[in-house]
Amino acid sequence: ITKSYFADNDGLEELWTELDQWDPDAAESITFDEGSVASKYKDWTYEKIVSEGGPANWTFLQCEHFIDLCQDKIPQPDFFERETTLSGNCFRINPNGVLKGKGGDYGKMQLMFFADLNEYSNITRREPQYGYTVVFHDHESYSSTIPSGFWMSPGSIYKVDLSLTQEYREPPPAGTCDPTRVNNTYGRYEENSCIAQCRDDALMERCGCVHTAPPHPQNEPGKDYRSCTLQEWASCGLRAYKDWVIEYSDVDRLETGCDCPNTCQEVEYKAQLSSSSLSKFYAESKAARLPPGYNNGKEDVLENLV
């Protein structure tokens, strides 16, 4: 959440800081009574705050596909859209899989982001990493279902070589995959997306709401996957979420309560990364692309550009 968003909403940063401690006892002690600082935010949802308070679209400075700008080949939102997730307001690049490439530099994609470190709130600044967490995945799946990603920090340029892997598994009687599992509330059925839906279902059962609504709720008709209000999250959601994570993460527990058989077809991208510090000469050439108020020369670029 940006510093200016907190500044525009008095008292929200203090409330958000308490909730961000992931301490159910502390969260349940927050008072949302009329007249309290938290009362004016009791009906706000996590989804609303992350969506409105996340980084602006302009911080995604440029997308090139081979030698063309992405927006010249396909219009927004086809080359990117925003995705509100547990980890923040993400940029979802090539969401419909329209841009394609070949091995090597044929069809390569070049992305440029401005981290805008001056807008980092105190909550963000206490994290050990800064910049972006990047996940490479099939366009029919979602980053929010993938438990890990690559950290990319400002002031560096990264080269990523991707390789596509497709796995096919046998259904019964020879195998154990379930051919009837095709889609769920997180798009393409995969073990990770099934686990994400299992988590949401556990929260729905206990609290009647989830942290963030899944992208394809229509694949589970009859359920209203809505984002918890801050009051609901403090009084129920946080404890339910933490209990689920502790139970699911227990390596000695054989049964997790999630019925997630292997998918019969799985798409995975494997990435090899290398990085280098940005050249000051390159930074000088890119400084003019920054919006008014940010064009302070190469130092701004070297501190913020990825």
Side-chain angles (χ1 to χ4, degrees), residues 205-258:
E205 184 176 345
R206 282 183 60 174
C207 306
C209 58
V210 297
H211 205 236
T212 56
H216 294 284
Q218 71 277 6
N219 289 336
E220 191 68 32
K223 290 187 178 180
D224 178 20
Y225 290 98
R226 64 177 182 84
S227 180
C228 294
T229 65
L230 296 190
Q231 185 174 25
E232 289 173 326
W233 187 252
S235 62
C236 180
L238 179 54
R239 186 174 295 277
Y241 180 86
K242 192 169 184 178
D243 287 347
W244 184 90
V245 170
I246 291 173
E247 180 180 302
Y248 185 82
S249 303
D250 186 353
V251 295
D252 296 321
R253 185 184 175 93
L254 298 179
E255 297 293 332
T256 63
C258 294

Side-chain angles (χ1 to χ4, degrees), residues 98-127:
V98 176
L99 300 173
K100 303 181 185 300
K102 296 182 177 180
D105 288 340
Y106 300 103
K108 67 181 179 181
M109 184 177 286
Q110 295 177 300
L111 308 176
M112 187 186 303
F113 292 91
F114 188 82
D116 199 8
L117 299 185
N118 287 332
E119 272 288 355
Y120 273 34
S121 65
N122 292 328
I123 296 174
T124 307
R125 288 176 177 178
R126 73 183 184 207
E127 298 297 327

